[in-house]
Amino acid sequence: GEDDTLAEALRKRRENPKSNPSDFYFTTGRLNSMNNYPNMDEKRTYKAENASPMSRRTLPIGGKILRGDEVDKKMLHWATKGVIEPDTAAAVCNMKDSDLDLTNSDWVFVVLGAGAAMGPLDTLLSLGATVIALDLPIPAIWEKLFAKTKSSKGSIIFPMIRKYNGNDEGNNNNDIHLDEKEMASRAGCNFLTHIPELIDWLVLQCPSKRLVIGQYAYLDSAAFVKVSLAMDAVASECLRQRPDSALAYLCSPTDVFAIPPAARDASARQYKEDMNNKEFQNRILQLLSGNHMLQQNIVPGTRATAGNH
């Protein structure tokens, strides 16, 4: 038949939702760290016995690793100098070591683009998080993800293409026993071709937990626009069915953010100061670039309906 547009595919899914996991395109795979924890109690015991007496809050900078109070001092220094926002410094300073143990967290982290070099997978696994890993159905990608998981403190949940003629037919539980090679050959999903099927599977994962849906997949050129729209569709549909979920993104200089007036004013002051310090060189660069370079990255403030900036 003819291919549906994304909007049409989502409309059909909403009008004819699937509720029986045996009808899903994907079944569920799971891999724990080192496969050494038959149950969560053992994992908790392992983590407690092997916890470091030093603070787990660390900040690598200038070839050194700052810990605990040293991190707080650096945050406050950066906030004073305008390097970071005051609320960012406050969030880090108020963080407890226990916040960095995600073994028993109420959150499960959905990582769209689990193999992305700039994604958070390694950090999340090192903190003991449960990660729903989504990436292309390429065995080499999943072999690397499996290796990372086994050497970490966390675990991953991932979609696998169902084998209707195999022993997992009609089974959406995590109790099918497959070796890693078999799992890698069936793991993964294509964000561009199986969006409704992925949503059907994803919204039923870890129903007692809250989801953090992070978008990190990347493709070159126009394909990135397509995969971005696909990830937005997945996130939107998950939020519609699980409204207590949260969103996360990999920020870039091309993103646009709402900022408070104080941040806007500080940016304007810094821009004026920098332009005045090297006025001649800066003006030359602006002229040579057709006024494209060295432009302010803020826009005039707007007032919300409630009267706030």
Side-chain angles (χ1 to χ4, degrees):
E2 296 183 359
D3 292 336
D4 290 329
T5 65
L6 176 56
E8 182 68 11
L10 294 178
R11 182 187 65 79
K12 289 181 177 179
R13 178 186 176 274
R14 291 171 185 168
E15 292 177 353
N16 300 287
K18 294 180 180 179
S19 58
N20 186 353
S22 64
D23 295 330
F24 289 178
Y25 182 81
F26 294 110
T27 188
T28 302
R30 180 166 189 145
L31 188 69
N32 295 324
S33 57
M34 300 299 291
N35 291 323
N36 285 334
Y37 310 116
N39 57 63
M40 290 302 293
D41 289 335
E42 281 198 21
K43 190 172 183 180
R44 292 190 193 102
T45 302
Y46 174 88
K47 290 172 68 64
E49 291 176 351
N50 291 273
S52 170
M54 295 187 294
S55 174
R56 299 182 66 188
R57 291 190 307 128
T58 60
L59 176 67
I61 181 173
K64 299 180 180 179
I65 297 181
L66 305 183
R67 294 182 180 274
D69 293 342
E70 295 175 327
V71 176
D72 294 344
K73 292 178 182 178
K74 180 60 70 173
M75 292 295 106
L76 295 175
H77 174 72
W78 280 348
T80 302
K81 294 294 184 179
V83 177
I84 60 176
E85 292 298 310
D87 58 349
T88 302
V92 175
C93 292
N94 291 331
M95 184 181 294
K96 304 183 292 292
D97 281 357
S98 58
D99 295 330
L100 298 176
D101 182 355
L102 300 177
T103 306
N104 303 314
S105 174
D106 292 331
W107 296 93
V108 170
F109 299 84
V110 182
V111 180
L112 289 92
M118 295 182 67
L121 180 74
D122 291 5
T123 299
L124 290 171
L125 290 176
S126 72
L127 298 176
T130 297
V131 176
I132 298 178
L134 304 174
D135 213 310
L136 291 169
I138 299 175
I141 291 177
W142 290 96
E143 289 169 1
K144 291 180 181 179
L145 295 179
F146 292 167
K148 287 183 178 182
T149 303
K150 290 193 299 180
S151 63
S152 75
K153 299 177 182 178
S155 61
I156 60 171
I157 298 169
F158 50 92
M160 295 195 305
I161 297 173
R162 185 181 300 281
K163 279 178 60 176
Y164 284 98
N165 60 347
N167 62 3
D168 64 332
E169 182 176 357
N171 188 342
N172 197 54
N173 298 319
N174 296 328
D175 58 0
I176 53 177
H177 300 288
L178 302 172
D179 60 34
E180 287 183 28
K181 185 176 181 180
E182 171 72 5
M183 286 196 296
S185 70
R186 293 170 51 188
C189 55
N190 190 320
F191 297 146
L192 301 182
T193 58
H194 290 110
I195 298 175
E197 294 87 350
L198 175 59
I199 296 168
D200 286 338
W201 175 84
L202 180 57
V203 295
L204 293 185
Q205 300 305 310
C206 306
S208 63
K209 303 284 188 177
R210 298 178 66 185
L211 302 180
V212 180
I213 306 168
Q215 303 183 21
Y216 309 100
Y218 178 81
L219 292 173
D220 289 330
S221 191
F224 181 60
V225 177
K226 294 180 180 179
V227 77
S228 295
L229 289 173
M231 291 190 294
D232 282 345
V234 171
S236 296
E237 290 297 296
C238 284
L239 285 172
R240 189 175 66 86
Q241 293 188 239
R242 296 179 65 166
D244 63 345
S245 301
L247 297 178
Y249 297 89
L250 180 63
C251 299
S252 80
T254 60
D255 292 333
V256 178
F257 298 95
I259 59 175
R264 179 199 62 207
D265 296 343
S267 177
R269 287 194 302 270
Q270 188 65 52
Y271 175 80
K272 183 177 180 179
E273 181 180 322
D274 291 344
M275 291 296 292
N276 289 338
N277 285 342
K278 297 182 179 180
E279 183 175 5
F280 178 74
Q281 298 96 314
N282 291 337
R283 297 304 179 193
I284 292 296
L285 282 174
Q286 287 182 321
L287 288 172
L288 292 176
S289 66
N291 254 4
H292 291 297
M293 294 181 64
L294 301 179
Q295 296 300 309
Q296 276 190 282
N297 62 349
I298 58 172
V299 297
T302 58
R303 189 173 295 276
T305 305
N308 297 321
H309 285 84

